Amino acid sequence: EAGVTQFPSHSVIEKGQTVTLRCDPISGHDNLYWYRRVMGKEIKFLLHFVKESKQDESGMPNNRFLAERTGGTYSTLKVQPAELEDSGVYFCASSQEVVNTQYFGPGTRLTVL
Amino acid sequence: GDSVTQMEGPVTLSEEAFLTINCTYTATGYPSLFWYVQYPGEGLQLLLKATKADDKGSNKGFEATYRKETTSFHLEKGSVQVSDSAVYFCALGPSYGKLTFGQGTILTVHP
């Protein structure tokens, strides 16, 4: 069974540009989560989808971040325009039920110059 | 709100040494507790978990016991190997879906 995959693995962009990160969850997992780790600090929750609906987006830092999950399969996280403080590693995770173990992808390392 | 505090690293040990990484938490209700590990160049992997008080999670020689009275979930291993070098994250949840993580502890094991 394929695990959670994320694309790209690394992205380097300049301040003001737009970047779109993609996450493909484990097949059949209705719950999809985005997290971020900035500068060696703790991993912080961004948002949670149940199928195509946003269940909780309380961790989204501001309106420069837009997450979508069309059709309840893969998800994208767009940052527009990117700022220096957006640099970090963005993790995606999925689970079958909300109370189940979350399985993480390898992360996307975003560097904003 | 929920929070997790891990011992600060980095932790450097010689092979076959005993490992303890402390983790304490603050939470409402009765969360599950997790240890995740990130090996160099890889993503987060679930190492072990415990779902209720006094449960012991174990995997690959690592153990952690859910201590409600001390709100702790310390990670231990009796004899570390070079291959255990990684970043270890303590986490609690899921609370309405989301996990709350500690800041991570870097472990380096030398031959």
Side-chain angles (χ1 to χ4, degrees):
Chain A
E1 179 183 279
V4 177
T5 57
Q6 293 186 244
F7 182 83
S9 56
H10 293 86
S11 181
V12 181
I13 61 173
E14 295 196 350
K15 176 181 171 181
Q17 290 185 321
T18 297
V19 63
T20 300
L21 313 181
R22 174 172 169 144
C23 168
D24 286 77
I26 293 172
S27 178
H29 281 194
D30 288 339
N31 293 272
L32 186 150
Y33 311 83
W34 284 99
Y35 293 85
R36 177 174 74 169
R37 188 181 191 213
V38 173
M39 288 291 291
K41 296 186 178 179
E42 70 270 25
I43 299 168
K44 286 195 172 180
F45 168 82
L46 296 179
L47 87 160
H48 170 204
F49 283 101
V50 178
K51 297 185 180 177
E52 67 274 12
S53 300
K54 291 176 185 174
Q55 182 73 16
D56 180 359
E57 51 185 331
S58 62
M60 295 289 263
N62 51 61
N63 60 10
R64 296 186 294 103
F65 289 74
L66 174 64
E68 294 181 324
R69 192 182 182 196
T70 306
T73 54
Y74 70 91
S75 174
T76 58
L77 179 65
K78 182 192 292 187
V79 185
Q80 179 183 29
E83 298 289 344
L84 299 179
E85 63 264 25
D86 300 332
S87 296
V89 180
Y90 290 76
F91 292 102
C92 176
S94 71
S95 67
Q96 201 159 25
E97 301 285 343
V98 71
V99 295
N100 289 159
T101 298
Q102 294 181 22
Y103 295 91
F104 281 76
T108 294
R109 181 175 294 278
L110 175 63
T111 302
V112 182
L113 303 176
Chain B
D2 294 351
S3 67
V4 175
T5 302
Q6 283 181 240
M7 67 182 288
E8 291 194 20
V11 175
T12 303
L13 295 173
S14 297
E15 210 165 22
E16 299 183 4
F18 183 86
L19 168 71
T20 300
I21 300 178
N22 290 339
C23 171
T24 57
Y25 67 91
T26 302
T28 54
Y30 303 94
S32 295
L33 298 173
F34 305 84
W35 277 100
Y36 279 86
V37 59
Q38 185 178 23
Y39 296 104
E42 299 184 16
L44 284 169
Q45 299 176 26
L46 177 66
L47 181 59
L48 54 84
K49 69 177 183 180
T51 57
K52 61 183 187 296
D54 299 325
D55 269 2
K56 178 186 285 188
S58 61
N59 186 25
K60 299 182 180 181
F62 291 88
E63 293 184 339
T65 301
Y66 188 162
R67 300 287 188 200
K68 193 169 184 301
E69 64 276 13
T70 55
T71 61
S72 65
F73 193 55
H74 304 322
L75 182 68
E76 297 182 336
K77 186 174 186 182
S79 176
V80 294
Q81 305 300 312
V82 172
S83 57
D84 293 326
S85 298
V87 184
Y88 292 81
F89 295 91
C90 184
L92 67 83
S95 174
Y96 301 102
K98 68 181 181 184
L99 292 172
T100 300
F101 285 88
Q103 72 268 36
T105 302
I106 298 173
L107 170 65
T108 302
V109 180
H110 292 296

